[in-house]
Structures are given as structure tokens and as C-alpha cells.
Amino acid sequence: MLAFIIRRIVWTIPVILLVILMTFLMMRLIKGNPFQVTDRPVPPSIQRNLDRKFHLDKPWWEQYLYYVRDVGRFDLGPSLVQRNQDVNDVIKEHFPTSIKLGLMAMGFAIVIGVPLGVFAALRHNTVLDYTAMGLANLGFAVPSFLVATLLIYFFALRLKDYTGLPTNGWNGPSSWVLPVIALGIYPMTYFARLVRGTVLETLQQDYIRTAKAKGLRWRFVVGKHVLRNSLIPVVTAAGPVLGGLITGSFIVETIFGIPGIGRYYVTAVTGRDYSVVMGITVLLSVIIIVANLVVDILYGYLDPRIRDERA
Amino acid sequence: MSEPDVVSSEPATKRRGRRLKGGPLQTRRTEFEDTLARTASARGAEAGASLPRASLWGDAFHRFMKNKASVVAAVAFLALLAFVIIVPFVSSEDPYALDFSQAYLSPSWDHPFGTDQFGRDLFIRTALGGRVSFAIGFAATFTIMVVGIVYGATAGFLGGHVDNALMRFLDALYGLPYLPFAIMTLAVFGTVNFWTMVVALTIASWFTTARVMRGQIITLKQNDYVRAAYAAGAKGPRVLYRHLLMNTLGVIIVFVFLELPGVILGEAFLSFLGLGINPPKASWGTLAQDGYTAYQAHPYIIVIPSLCIAWLILSAFFIADGLRDALDPRTKEA
Amino acid sequence: MALLEVEDLRTYFKTREGEVHAVDGVSFEVEEGSVLGIVGESGCGKSVTSLSIMGLVQSPGRVVSGSIRFDGRELTTMSDKNLEDVRGKQIAMIFQDPMTSLNPTLTIGTQITETIRRHMDLSKSAAEKRAIGLLEEVHIPDAARRLRDYPHRFSGGMRQRVMIAMALSCNPQLLIADEPTTALDVTVQAGVLELLDDLRRDHGMTMIIISHNMGVIAETAEQVLVMYAGQVVEQATVIDLFDRPEHPYTEALLGSLPKIDEPNPRNGRLSTIPGRPPDLLVPPEACRFAPRCRYAGMDDCNKVQPELREIRTGHWVRSNHPASERAAEPVGAR
């Protein structure tokens, strides 16, 4: 098992390198060399800085290697637009907010979605099942910008006097509620449907019949046999869910005016702050890759058959 | 952003797949199912007539039709399609005329969807926007399918080292965040038009298709009839085309309906972030973005195109579900 | 009073096309300490019968009518809670496929001790000790260490032994074994059957063994029930059944067994029973075996269903043409 883990970790390195390479290449494709040709004239002092930092006199693959080395040192270069800031500063300033938002949204999604799915599966083909899944499907289909807008519309405008939930900014718990819900609805529906599926499938299995034949109490069977086996796929689903959270955060942060990294990314792209764009992209990629790694390892730990296969 | 899929970067063979991928999860036929099956065939025999030659598609079609949810979804989908195709031909409104005196009218008989800030009729604009969204959607889905199928089928068919290398590379690509790369692609092109949008949407979306295709090909490759074809003298490409690809057609069709909503939603997201198709051409996404600025006073401007998107997503999803059940020859729970 | 008394049990399954009469009026008794064998082909209702006894028939099936009395108590009207007390403790069941019948993510130690702790008031360590004892009783070597193993670490035969150990863990009065050897290698089958026999004697258990394999029945059962199309068609002691079978179906079953010593009258070909079992959706009013019976005549066979009658002491048959009455029929009489 340890050998597997090590092998898996080692394998992420070329993946990260590849991602950086692709990002780097894309950046270079944007109107020639983006670090020289920007809309705004770049003052000579900055230009010298950039030349040094990015080794612009060297061939592109050398530049790439330098960049990789810098990434390894966690040095993502200076911002092209905010003259006094490094990309790292930008990240430090905005990223924690996004992380908080993302984690809370994920928490919301799991806490609401998983029990909903289990409940729907246990009450399979009843009105409750159909209602729950109907709602889940609705939440799945409606684009998050509409969800966010509707939330703001109802809570901030119509019900303002009753709830007083702020719809802008990120200060204090009450301002977290609406954005977390807006961001968390889509993953919540994902989990609800996934869990319902896995629970239904588990209920069909022979070993559940065996458990019943042994006279175990039904609640016990559900808690011990059914849930355990049904929730394993939920862990592995964390990967795509994370991707969805990142995407969703761009929208939600924009709408709710939350100073996170998603909102900053869009500003950076339209403002042609390419080093920031690259830095954030690399950061997000690394997060996804690490998350997938953790999920992979966790999955092996949870399912004994895989555990043995890997040993 | 497609249907729940258990995806991790583990090689596909070790993954617990959903029914489409690789081998199905084995369920032992119970005595009861035996009885049911025999009941059905016995009845056929009693009827006297010999069992008609059932074709795969005919059978699937009938099964699909029996599924109420799928039929409703199909009707809804076609209705939406009809809306976007027919309305611009039929309506007398000019979608591009600016008339500020008519600005921000609520939905009425004259303007079923109201008007926007420029006084343009939203009914026809929504329909036209739908055309753009659908066009982008189909084009991007098609591209995703082509790329995914070529990549996956190559990997699956050739197997061995090639397969290994291709799959490792694919695993690496999974680390690319979808939206940032779509955004960057648009930045690379510098402008957002139909084609650049299609490319941007394809870039980070074809991975699942490739993986599923590979899984399908690998499973089918092991089937005896493939070996029989080789034994009869068929050459590689012919085997690939006739036997393998034709049999995966069903899977491909299901995937089309799964990817389409994701792609259209992606386009909507990009538009909403300000990276949509340039005006005056509009898509549902750009219409929604337009509406966002005025949602407080005139919520319908953002609600309507968003609901169109939701309508599309829901109907496509249920169609995909129904297709999947219809093409799966095994009987499900009663 | 027999330990188990089943009277006119009917279990039907609701399907889209109607109700399937899986078990249609089955009655029998099992005396304490005896072994009842139930034999019949797939779909005849034998498994459903045993599931009905345990109350494990899942929707869309349900016990429609009839009585099942165990140790004097009526099981069909028992609350779920009380049934849960009976299951595992007084009546235990082992199933056909030991691979899928065990939870792959729990150690077998957990799966055994959870049963023990459910029905007996034992601490965890006491339960574990008992589990180890049980594993040793079913001849699993290195029991203490194996307790921590997962099911996939065991071979098929050993898994079945684990199932047996689980079933015996609370000293049930009745053990129902549903096709216990069908999924096992032939070489392993004998061992499992022998084990069952030994354990039964050691624990003084009553047993019902279900199989489609006449050999298994011949070896283990004392009383035999032959089922066909949801009904009991013959019942006798095992010796009497094999020696002098009465029902044409039983004869055909025994006749279709390949014999090493006797010359086969059909030029060395295996004899089979032509035709297929009837549609249980609309069971025929008449004798259900008639379409396949070589003795079926123009008489009541196709009009009225024969009753189960005692043709000899302890030998019951449901047929218009049982073997002992056939010899008396003059040839050519119709």
C-alpha cells in the first residue's frame, strides 16, 4: 500500500509539469509575448524586472524551465497590472476567502445532499422520493447564476426586512449564507442523486438479504451495511465536484461581490494581467491534482478489495 | 458539467464504472427473473406466431417510448428546438432595432417575453439566442465527440503501450481546471465568436468521452464476434469501423445528450462572466448577462433565458436516461 | 405438531403485465430433526417458498395467502420486529452464491459477531471467541487470524463454510439451505454437504435443503418435495421417491440423469423433457405438466387440475397418471 502511495505521489509531478507547460504555452500564444506586448505601456523598471524574472532573452523552453523552478519555489512573479504586488500577494489576499467559501459550500452540499439521497433511496418510488429527486433535478438544471440572482432577489430585496441577509461582500457569518447556498446547490444535487443511486444499488445486493436473514434490525443494516458501501463512491466523486465548485465560484463571487480568487481571475484576464492569470491557473490545477490524489488514496483505504489489490 | 460520474485518475479497469463503461456490475438473475423471462417468451410461443426479427434500434425505440419520463422529455426538447427555429421566421419583430420608448416593457401579449433596455422584443431575441446557443452546443458537442472518440478508440483499439501512454496523458489532462482554460483559450483567440467559443468549450470537456470510448472498445474487442471477424479475414480498420464503432453508437448517442447541456451551460457561464459572443448577436448566456444588470426591477430578463437553459438541461438529461435504459438489453427492476 | 407447518402458501409477484403466481398453493410439514429436500427446475418456486418462510420476499412480491406456522407461531402475521427476532436465531438461511452474499467491506469476524451480539447477550470478546469456535467447527484453519480477513480472501468453498458458521452462530432450530452447493466446484460440493450433515446431527437441527440437483437431494434429504410451476407435484421419503417415483415429471427428472451402468434406450443420447414450464402469469386451470406429459390424454388432464392425493402411505402425488396407476390402464384405452 505504501508503495502505491509513493508511486501515486511521484506520478503527480509530471502531471503538474504538464499543466504548467500547457498554461505557459497558452500564455505565449496570446498575441505574441504577453509579457512585452500589453495594452498599457510597461515602464522600463518593470520591464527590466520582467526580463530578469522571465528570462525573455532565452528560448521559450528555457523560460518554461525557469518558470517551473520558480513555481517550485512558490515564486509566481510580479503582477503586471498592480505595480506593487506580486502574484503571491494577490493570492494571499484573495485565496483564503475562496477556500472558505468553497469548503462551506462543500459542507452544505454534503450535509444536505447525502441524507437527502439516502432518504430518497430508502423511500424509493414513493411521493417523498419523487419530490426529493424532483427538487434535486431542478437544482441541477437551473444555472447557478439564476439561483444566485433569485436568492438575492428574494432574500435581499423582497424579504429584506425579515432576514436582513446581506448580498454583497464578505464580512461576517450572515454574509456567508446566501453565497454558500448559491454555490452549494449544484454539488448538493450531484451528491443527492449519486447517493440515491448507490444506495439503491446496494439495497439490491445479496449481502443485504443475508443481513436481513440474520435477523439484524433494519436500522442497523442500513447504518452498517448499506451506508458504508454506498458512501464510498461519494468520496471518489469529490474530484469532479471540486471542479464544479471552482467553476461555480467564479460566478458566485462575481454576483455576490465576494473578493475571492475567482472574481479576481476574470478581472485579471480582461485586464490582461497574464502573470496573475498563469499563477492562479497553476494554483487551481495543483489543487485539483492534489485533491484527486487524496481521493485516490482514500478510496483504496476505504475499500478492502482495492486495498489488497494494491498491496 | 455532465451527469454524476465516478471519476478519478485511476486507470479505468479498476474503477467502479457506471453501466456504460466497460463491464456491467454483475447481478445474478434470481429465480424470479427467470420466471419472468420465461413467461414473456412462453407467451410469445402461445401466440403462435414466430418471434419477429427484432432489430436493436426498433427494440430500443419501443422501450424508449414506453418510458413516460423520456417521452415527455423528448417532447419538451423538440418543443424548445421548434421554438428557436420557428419563431424568428414567424415573428414580425426586428431583433436589432433600438427603440428606447419601448424599453423595459413587462411581458404582455405584444411582447410575450417583454423587452430589454433597448426596446428590443425579447421573444424573438430569446429564440435567436436559442439558435446561437443550440448551434454552439451542437457544434461543441460534435467536436467533443470527435476528439474523444478518436482519442479513446485509438487508445482502446491499439492497446498496449500506446494505450498506456495515451491514458496517462489523459490522466494528466484531468488536472486542468475547466473554466480557467476555457477563459484562457478565448483570450488566446482574442475575440469571442462562434468558432472560438466552440474550441474553448471543447478544450477541457472531451476527457470523459475519451475514457468511456476507450472502455467500450476494450470490452467489445474481447468479444468473440470480433475474433470471428478477424478469423474470417477482416482487416483492422474494417473491424474497428464495422463491429466496434457501430456497436458503440448507442453509447455515443447517450453521451451526446449528456454533454450537450454541459456545453451550453459552459457557454452561458462564460457569457455571464463577460466573455460571451459579441453583440449584437446574442446567446442565452449573453441575454442572461444583460438581464443581470437590471434584475431588480425587471427580473424576467434574466429569468427567461436561464429557464430556457434549465429546460434544455432537464430534457436532455431525461432523454439521456431514457436512451440509456432503452439501449441496455437487460431488464431493470420491475 | 411439526416444527414447521406450511399450509396453502401463495406468493405472487406484481408485474406490469399482471401477477405472476410464483408459489401457488404449497403445503408441507417438516418434523423436528428431519431433513426436507425441495427439488425442481429453475423458476418452479422453491426459492421463493423458502424466502416466504423467512419473510424475505421483496416487493413487487408478497405472500398473498396461506399460513406458515413455526413452533406453533404464525409467521405470516408477525410484525417485522418479531420476525427479526426469529430470523437468525430460530430460523437461519444460507444462500446460493457465497461471494455476493457476504459484505465485501466488512471482515467476516464482524459479520459473524454482529449476528451473535444481536441475538445473544455477549460481550465483544465473548462473541469473538464464539465466532472462532464456529469457524473451527466448519473446518476453517487458523480461525483466530482469519477472523480479521475480508470475504475476498477466501475461496468459494470456504466462503460457504463461513456462511454456514454464520447461520449456526445462534443455534437455530431450523436451517434453510437454498442451493448451497450450486455455485461451488464439484470437488468442493461433497465436502460442504458432508459438513452440513455433521453439523445438523451435532446441533440437532432441522434442515430444509433446496436444490435442482437430484444427486444433492438424494444424498442429504429424508423427505423430498418435488415442485413444478409453483406447486407441489410429489412428496415422499427420499428412498421411496427414487425407488418408485409416481409423477411423470419426477420420472422424467430421474430419467434424464445420465446412468453409468444401465444401457440407455435412446442410442446413447441423454433424454430430456420436451417443452417448457407454463406461463405463471396466467396459470392454466388444468394440470400444469400436461403439455409436456407423455401420458396426458383427452381426459381431465387438460381441463381440471389434479389434487394432491396420498397414493401410498407417506407418498403424495398430484397427477392423473401416476406410475402405479398406469400399469393398470389397458393399452389403447382413451
Side-chain angles (χ1 to χ4, degrees):
Chain A
M1 183 69 169
L2 192 61
F4 171 81
I5 293 181
I6 294 181
R7 224 184 322 133
R8 190 72 183 73
I9 293 180
V10 165
W11 192 247
T12 60
I13 297 177
V15 174
I16 296 180
L17 288 178
L18 180 72
V19 168
I20 298 179
L21 178 66
M22 298 200 65
T23 317
F24 186 82
L25 287 175
M26 289 202 87
M27 282 296 114
R28 307 227 54 216
L29 285 174
I30 301 184
K31 297 275 198 306
N33 190 332
F35 301 112
Q36 275 178 333
V37 181
T38 58
D39 278 6
R40 255 159 287 197
V42 182
S45 50
I46 294 279
Q47 188 61 59
R48 268 194 301 261
N49 235 350
L50 288 173
D51 281 354
R52 229 179 320 132
K53 267 254 145 56
F54 296 104
H55 314 279
L56 293 170
D57 43 339
K58 305 260 179 31
W60 69 265
W61 50 268
E62 263 195 64
Q63 295 183 28
Y64 163 69
L65 290 173
Y66 276 117
Y67 188 70
V68 169
R69 185 202 62 187
D70 287 339
V71 169
R73 290 193 198 148
F74 297 120
D75 175 10
L76 293 168
S79 160
L80 295 180
V81 168
Q82 312 285 8
R83 302 286 160 81
N84 307 321
Q85 281 194 315
D86 275 350
V87 175
N88 286 13
D89 296 330
V90 171
I91 290 181
K92 260 185 242 169
E93 203 179 305
H94 297 270
F95 195 51
T97 311
S98 296
I99 291 192
K100 260 191 243 151
L101 176 64
L103 283 177
M104 283 197 277
M106 181 71 116
F108 170 82
I110 292 180
V111 164
I112 308 261
V114 170
L116 192 66
V118 173
F119 185 65
L122 290 179
R123 302 262 179 277
H124 181 44
N125 276 341
T126 61
V127 175
L128 292 168
D129 180 21
Y130 292 139
T131 324
M133 280 304 115
L135 287 176
N137 282 326
L138 213 59
F140 165 76
V142 174
S144 53
F145 48 74
L146 184 62
V147 171
T149 312
L150 288 177
L151 279 176
I152 296 182
Y153 184 71
F154 283 114
F155 281 94
L157 300 176
R158 286 291 151 97
L159 306 176
K160 196 187 194 121
D161 304 320
Y162 300 107
T163 57
L165 286 172
T167 58
N168 213 320
W170 187 254
N171 338 290
S174 59
S175 71
W176 297 342
V177 174
L178 291 180
V180 165
I181 295 180
L183 185 58
I185 286 215
Y186 181 76
M188 186 267 280
T189 64
Y190 186 93
F191 280 128
R193 293 181 328 140
L194 178 67
V195 168
R196 178 179 177 274
T198 58
V199 170
L200 278 181
E201 204 172 287
T202 308
L203 286 175
Q204 301 285 341
Q205 297 298 312
D206 284 346
Y207 55 81
I208 299 295
R209 182 182 57 178
T210 309
K212 284 204 273 192
K214 296 197 295 192
L216 302 174
R217 296 243 176 260
W218 180 235
R219 229 171 245 171
F220 180 83
V221 173
V222 170
K224 191 142 176 229
H225 290 258
V226 176
L227 284 186
R228 184 179 259 263
N229 291 36
S230 320
L231 294 184
I232 293 179
V234 173
V235 169
T236 54
V241 167
L242 186 65
L245 273 181
I246 291 180
T247 307
S249 71
F250 280 41
I251 304 273
V252 168
E253 285 177 12
T254 306
I255 293 185
F256 283 94
I258 296 177
I261 207 103
R263 190 179 74 152
Y264 200 88
Y265 189 86
V266 182
T267 342
V269 172
T270 44
R272 317 236 175 203
D273 194 343
Y274 295 121
S275 51
V276 169
V277 170
M278 262 181 72
I280 298 182
T281 310
V282 169
L283 175 69
L284 291 177
S285 297
V286 169
I287 291 179
I288 292 182
I289 292 171
V290 168
N292 278 335
L293 172 73
V294 168
V295 160
D296 257 353
I297 294 178
L298 211 58
Y299 176 64
Y301 179 70
L302 290 173
D303 188 337
R305 292 169 288 188
I306 308 285
R307 221 187 292 172
D308 275 352
E309 250 176 72
R310 292 179 182 172
Chain B
M1 229 67 65
S2 49
E3 138 90 352
D5 188 1
V6 181
V7 168
S8 77
S9 9
E10 270 214 295
T13 41
K14 288 206 185 122
R15 189 146 333 148
R16 288 134 157 255
R18 50 181 181 160
R19 287 198 303 281
L20 281 181
K21 255 197 297 251
L25 295 159
Q26 295 298 340
T27 44
R28 199 171 40 84
R29 278 165 70 98
T30 59
E31 204 178 288
F32 165 57
E33 281 172 293
D34 268 338
T35 311
L36 266 193
R38 202 174 315 117
T39 301
S41 55
R43 216 157 345 109
E46 276 170 15
S50 57
L51 290 170
R53 264 291 193 86
S55 71
L56 176 64
W57 300 109
D59 251 1
F61 184 71
H62 279 120
R63 257 194 300 258
F64 185 83
M65 283 294 144
K66 280 211 200 120
N67 186 338
K68 278 179 286 192
S70 308
V71 174
V72 168
V75 169
F77 187 84
L78 290 172
L80 193 63
L81 208 52
F83 169 71
V84 305
I85 294 179
I86 296 178
V87 166
F89 283 126
V90 167
S91 169
S92 54
E93 301 283 340
D94 182 349
Y96 302 115
L98 308 181
D99 184 354
F100 289 98
S101 68
Q102 299 278 311
Y104 284 135
L105 293 179
S106 285
S108 65
W109 198 243
D110 272 341
H111 299 282
F113 286 172
T115 60
D116 65 0
Q117 71 265 40
F118 295 124
R120 302 179 286 198
D121 172 49
L122 284 174
F123 192 65
I124 191 174
R125 280 192 66 98
T126 308
L128 284 174
R131 284 188 179 188
V132 173
S133 288
F134 264 108
I136 294 180
F138 280 122
T141 306
F142 178 75
T143 320
I144 291 176
M145 287 290 130
V146 166
V147 174
I149 290 175
V150 166
Y151 195 93
T154 314
F157 190 68
L158 292 178
H161 290 307
V162 177
D163 179 25
N164 238 332
L166 286 177
M167 281 302 119
R168 292 271 157 132
F169 186 65
L170 194 62
D171 275 345
L173 291 179
Y174 264 106
L176 299 178
Y178 166 70
L179 202 58
F181 263 86
I183 295 178
M184 280 203 297
T185 311
L186 289 177
V188 166
F189 284 118
T191 171
V192 185
N193 57 39
F194 181 82
W195 296 109
T196 61
M197 182 62 91
V198 167
V199 173
L201 291 172
T202 311
I203 274 215
S205 306
W206 56 270
F207 310 144
T208 320
T209 310
R211 175 158 275 145
V212 171
M213 276 309 293
R214 173 191 173 266
Q216 282 289 111
I217 298 278
I218 286 186
T219 319
L220 290 176
K221 224 174 38 159
Q222 294 167 348
N223 268 327
D224 283 333
Y225 64 79
V226 174
R227 261 176 246 161
Y230 275 123
K235 294 252 182 34
R238 183 175 165 78
V239 171
L240 178 63
Y241 175 69
R242 225 188 129 74
H243 295 278
L244 299 178
L245 282 184
M246 282 297 121
N247 273 292
T248 56
L249 213 52
V251 172
I252 293 175
I253 292 186
V254 175
F255 246 82
V256 164
F257 280 97
L258 287 178
E259 291 290 339
L260 186 65
V263 157
I264 291 194
L265 195 62
E267 186 269 324
F269 279 160
L270 287 171
S271 306
F272 202 83
L273 291 175
L275 296 165
I277 294 250
N278 298 321
K281 242 181 158 41
S283 71
W284 281 334
T286 56
L287 286 175
Q289 194 224 8
D290 281 345
Y292 174 64
T293 41
Y295 76 86
Q296 291 188 28
H298 313 278
Y300 58 89
I301 307 186
I302 182 177
V303 168
I304 289 172
S306 307
L307 286 185
C308 289
I309 296 177
W311 181 293
L312 176 99
I313 293 179
L314 271 179
S315 55
F317 174 69
F318 279 106
I319 292 178
D321 232 21
L323 278 178
R324 198 175 16 204
D325 288 343
L327 290 170
D328 184 347
R330 246 157 292 122
T331 30
K332 268 186 70 173
E333 37 176 322
Chain C
M1 185 192 63
L3 184 63
L4 178 71
E5 293 170 349
V6 175
E7 198 178 312
D8 199 35
L9 176 67
R10 286 170 201 271
T11 306
Y12 296 168
F13 285 77
K14 248 202 192 83
T15 68
R16 251 186 233 152
E17 285 102 12
E19 284 210 302
V20 176
H21 297 215
V23 177
D24 215 2
V26 165
S27 308
F28 60 87
E29 287 179 7
V30 186
E31 296 288 342
E32 191 160 352
S34 69
V35 181
L36 174 72
I38 305 183
V39 70
E41 58 193 320
S42 270
C44 71
K46 48 192 202 296
S47 279
V48 180
T49 306
S50 61
L51 288 175
S52 304
I53 296 173
M54 292 283 276
L56 287 176
V57 177
Q58 277 184 316
S59 152
R62 72 211 187 289
V63 173
V64 168
S65 69
S67 129
I68 303 176
R69 271 186 304 276
F70 178 77
D71 207 10
R73 296 154 75 197
E74 177 62 51
L75 294 183
T76 54
T77 55
M78 230 185 238
S79 68
D80 276 341
K81 201 157 133 358
N82 290 334
L83 265 178
E84 281 171 356
D85 287 331
V86 170
R87 286 191 215 125
K89 186 161 197 292
Q90 297 180 283
I91 311 181
M93 189 159 170
I94 61 178
F95 299 95
Q96 175 172 339
D97 190 348
M99 179 64 238
T100 57
S101 298
L102 290 171
N103 190 331
T105 59
L106 294 173
T107 64
I108 57 138
T110 314
Q111 297 187 55
I112 300 180
T113 52
E114 69 182 355
T115 325
I116 296 175
R117 299 190 71 195
R118 158 78 177 94
H119 294 291
M120 302 171 126
D121 204 5
L122 291 180
S123 70
K124 186 155 177 279
S125 48
E128 272 183 11
K129 237 186 250 147
R130 190 180 166 85
I132 295 177
L134 286 161
L135 285 182
E136 284 168 352
E137 222 182 315
V138 297
H139 309 309
I140 302 243
D142 205 4
R145 198 176 56 83
R146 295 295 249 162
L147 215 56
R148 318 228 169 284
D149 273 345
Y150 291 92
H152 63 270
R153 290 255 186 103
F154 291 78
S155 71
M158 286 173 80
R159 262 179 245 135
Q160 194 63 295
R161 291 167 188 267
V162 167
M163 287 284 295
I164 295 174
M166 258 178 16
L168 295 179
S169 57
C170 303
N171 281 329
Q173 295 165 270
L174 172 66
L175 174 68
I176 304 179
D178 190 352
E179 310 261 15
T181 55
T182 309
L184 302 174
D185 286 341
V186 175
T187 46
V188 172
Q189 279 181 19
V192 171
L193 287 179
E194 203 180 298
L195 177 66
L196 276 176
D197 205 36
D198 289 338
L199 291 173
R200 183 185 65 82
R201 262 191 277 265
D202 290 342
H203 291 255
M205 261 183 344
T206 314
M207 199 160 85
I208 298 181
I209 180 152
I210 300 171
S211 181
H212 61 264
N213 185 328
M214 297 296 268
V216 168
I217 298 289
E219 202 174 305
T220 24
E222 289 166 6
Q223 277 279 317
V224 181
L225 219 63
V226 180
M227 280 187 71
Y228 184 78
Q231 292 178 318
V232 174
V233 295
E234 190 163 356
Q235 178 174 3
T237 64
V238 63
I239 295 184
D240 207 25
L241 187 84
F242 279 77
D243 229 17
R244 293 192 292 168
E246 292 290 337
H247 197 283
Y249 177 60
T250 319
E251 287 180 307
L253 276 182
L254 291 170
S256 64
L257 290 176
K259 292 184 197 40
I260 288 183
D261 45 344
E262 286 178 24
N264 199 312
R266 287 214 197 167
N267 306 330
R269 277 164 162 254
L270 289 177
S271 60
T272 56
I273 312 175
R276 316 180 90 174
D279 186 347
L280 290 180
L281 202 55
V282 184
E285 295 274 303
C287 171
R288 294 186 183 185
F289 188 63
R292 306 167 79 183
C293 181
R294 51 174 23 185
Y295 305 110
M298 290 297 156
D299 50 2
D300 292 339
C301 290
N302 287 311
K303 292 199 212 106
V304 170
Q305 186 167 104
E307 291 296 314
L308 197 62
R309 57 192 169 97
E310 196 166 9
I311 196 170
R312 291 194 283 282
T313 322
H315 197 133
W316 301 70
V317 71
R318 185 196 296 273
S319 173
N320 289 324
H321 302 281
S324 28
E325 283 170 17
R326 253 176 273 139
E329 278 171 32
V331 174
R334 266 310 130 102

